[in-house]
Amino acid sequence: MRNTNDYLADPIKLVLPSLFFFVMCLFIGSGLSAGIIKVIGFSPFSELEHSDRQWFRLALLLNNFVLFSVSALLSFWWVYRLNWRKSAGFSGRARQYSLGFSTIFFLLALPLVAWLAWLNLQVSLPEWAVRNEEQTNQFMRSMLTMESLSELLMALLTVAVTPALGEELLLRGLLQRRILQPLLGSHHAAIWLAAFAFSFMHLEFAGFLPRFLLGAVLGYAYAWSCSIWVPILLHFLFNGLQVLAAFHAGGFTPDTEMTIVPPWWLALISLAAVVYVGRKLEVRYFQDKEEDN
């Protein structure tokens, strides 16, 4: 049995296995997704009937689950073996104060996120990026057009559960906590770089800034709580509420069609509140680290 303590101290030994499993799962997940779409014979960028929408959701669910969750779990298992649960942040309880205060921190950031979404839309994008946004909007319409309870449940699994688990495992648990933070020696730098990767990988540049901030908020929630379950829960609630809102409204409204502009003063209050609560949590974080040592 390999000595897992050596790997805990050397994040470089995580990089190659992580890249290998990510690329491998990219091909497997894409193949599964493309296979379902080809067999059923539909285009995800066109108007879909009820049954086709469910197959489309299944195709995306399998692709995302394999690409993010399976690649991250394989990386943790390959390097840490019997310690993979602890290394991924699954085992052990979150710090007593962390869930409540991290949730407050997350909620306080939402007005600022909304204002950044509007600000991002004021940036002119190149033609190729505009076409990509249009395709993504049609993609999401197919995903979030729901006419039954079964469609709602499948959409929640595809848009909320699977991304929350997989993206947090890969980006917060693996990239931020186990690779970037030891390499850079700073949880702040690791959080913001992982947040950049989180936003960039979506390839939706009309929403880059708000997603970047959301990624940072989730990163701090993980750093302060020391439990991957906290950002997973927050991510799930954020995506899940969007699915429920689309179901209630009877359709999906793209971010690029945003009509309500958040007032600047609310964004400023949100920023001040986030900084204040964040500093309090940061102090508590370092106090807990000293006690642990």
Side-chain angles (χ1 to χ4, degrees):
M1 181 69 65
R2 68 178 69 186
N3 184 355
T4 54
N5 291 329
D6 293 339
Y7 290 93
L8 291 173
D10 190 358
I12 296 297
K13 294 180 180 179
L14 257 173
V15 174
L16 286 181
S18 300
L19 286 173
F20 172 78
F21 287 123
F22 184 81
V23 173
M24 181 186 76
C25 289
L26 173 64
F27 282 104
I28 295 174
S30 299
L32 287 172
S33 179
I36 290 175
I37 291 174
K38 184 175 181 179
V39 169
I40 303 303
F42 63 85
S43 169
F45 299 111
S46 60
E47 295 294 332
L48 302 178
E49 298 298 325
H50 175 277
S51 60
D52 287 342
R53 290 197 298 265
Q54 291 291 66
W55 281 108
F56 176 48
R57 293 182 184 110
L58 177 62
L60 183 65
L61 186 153
L62 289 174
N63 179 57
N64 286 347
F65 179 74
V66 171
L67 178 60
F68 296 112
S69 298
V70 173
S71 68
L73 290 173
L74 284 173
S75 300
F76 280 117
W77 174 81
W78 180 262
V79 173
Y80 298 111
R81 294 300 167 97
L82 295 179
N83 288 333
W84 73 268
R85 292 180 185 85
K86 181 178 180 180
S87 302
F90 280 127
S91 62
R93 295 171 58 185
R95 298 189 189 278
Q96 187 175 8
Y97 63 90
S98 60
L99 179 57
F101 280 100
S102 294
T103 303
I104 292 172
F105 179 76
F106 186 83
L107 294 175
L108 289 173
L110 292 182
L112 180 58
V113 169
W115 187 80
L116 285 176
W118 171 81
L119 182 65
N120 204 153
L121 292 177
Q122 311 314 303
V123 178
S124 296
L125 297 175
E127 185 177 347
W128 64 265
V130 173
R131 288 197 303 269
N132 183 69
E133 293 294 330
E134 292 172 351
Q135 285 190 332
T136 300
N137 289 341
Q138 184 57 49
F139 179 94
M140 292 305 297
R141 284 191 184 94
S142 299
M143 185 66 58
L144 295 178
T145 297
M146 297 163 282
E147 298 176 347
S148 65
L149 182 59
S150 61
E151 283 202 271
L152 171 61
L153 294 176
M154 192 63 177
L156 283 171
L157 279 173
T158 305
V159 178
V161 175
T162 307
L165 178 64
E167 292 176 9
E168 295 310 308
L169 269 176
L170 184 70
L171 292 163
R172 249 62 70 178
L174 186 65
L175 181 63
Q176 173 187 311
R177 179 66 181 88
R178 291 301 174 189
I179 295 178
L180 291 176
Q181 186 170 333
L183 282 176
L184 301 174
S186 166
H187 67 286
H188 296 296
I191 286 167
W192 288 99
L193 281 175
F196 180 87
F198 170 71
S199 188
F200 184 82
M201 75 178 188
H202 285 82
L203 297 176
E204 298 172 29
F205 299 104
F208 183 87
L209 289 178
R211 193 174 291 108
F212 180 40
L213 179 60
L214 280 173
V217 171
L218 292 169
Y220 279 108
Y222 181 40
W224 293 330
S225 66
C226 294
S227 172
I228 196 66
W229 290 116
V230 173
I232 286 175
L233 176 62
L234 293 175
H235 196 153
F236 165 75
L237 290 175
F238 184 79
N239 286 13
L241 288 174
Q242 290 181 310
V243 175
L244 292 174
F247 181 72
H248 177 73
F252 166 70
T253 302
D255 293 338
T256 52
E257 298 176 11
M258 183 178 185
T259 56
I260 300 176
V261 180
W264 64 267
W265 53 265
L266 184 59
L268 193 60
I269 292 174
S270 174
L271 175 61
V274 164
V275 170
Y276 176 79
V277 174
R279 290 188 65 181
K280 294 290 185 182
L281 287 168
E282 191 73 7
V283 170
R284 185 66 180 269
Y285 167 75
F286 279 108
Q287 288 176 345
D288 288 345
K289 283 189 67 176
E290 290 179 0
E291 290 175 5
D292 292 341
N293 295 332

